[in-house]
Amino acid sequence: MGASTADTISQLQECNAELCAMFFNYAGALQRDAPPQAVNDFPVQLKSSSGAHTVASIPELAAQIVQSCKQFDELAQSLPEKLPMREEQLQTILSLQEQVLEGRKVLAAELALTQQQLRAVQDMYGALADAKLQQMPTDC
């Protein structure tokens, strides 16, 4: 599984979470704003048109859900048809481990060189500080 496949899977997870949130919120709004229904032929009196806002926004809510579903489908179609076999994955892991070991060797060599340079600079600083101290007058 390459980096782009992992990115696509992450995007699919985000899109799925977004869709779930939409369904949860929209279903809750529809339930909240739904007009009461008569039970046992008792007439129901509406005090206000509380559901008018939700009813007017249903096409917009549906369009948002359809758009998110299309995005999800596009992401799902961009995934590879066949994921690498276990042997291929192991080869990739071994190759990456070799690269890490090579990188460690290079970094260790750089660290040794840098430590030598630091010691040389510290020695020079010490020599300069000693020379400066010897030049200072001693009548304190």
Side-chain angles (χ1 to χ4, degrees), residues 99-113:
Q99 290 175 9
V100 167
L101 290 176
E102 290 174 17
R104 284 184 181 169
K105 290 178 185 176
V106 169
L107 289 175
E110 287 290 324
L111 178 62
L113 178 64

Side-chain angles (χ1 to χ4, degrees), residues 1 3 7-8 11 16-18 21-22 40-41 47 54 58-59 61 68 73-74 85-86 99 110-111 123 128 134:
M1 200 180 313
D7 290 341
T8 303
Q11 290 174 352
N16 186 46
E18 183 180 315
M22 279 186 207
N40 295 334
D41 295 328
K47 295 180 182 174
T54 303
I58 288 176
L61 302 178
S68 290
D73 289 342
E74 289 172 8
M85 299 301 291
R86 182 173 172 82
Q99 290 175 9
E110 287 290 324
L111 178 62
D123 291 343
L128 287 172
Q134 290 175 0

Side-chain angles (χ1 to χ4, degrees), residues 6-22 68 71-72 75:
D7 290 341
T8 303
I9 290 173
S10 294
Q11 290 174 352
L12 276 168
Q13 290 170 335
E14 289 173 13
C15 189
N16 186 46
E18 183 180 315
L19 273 168
C20 288
M22 279 186 207
S68 290
Q71 180 184 3
F72 188 90
L75 288 169

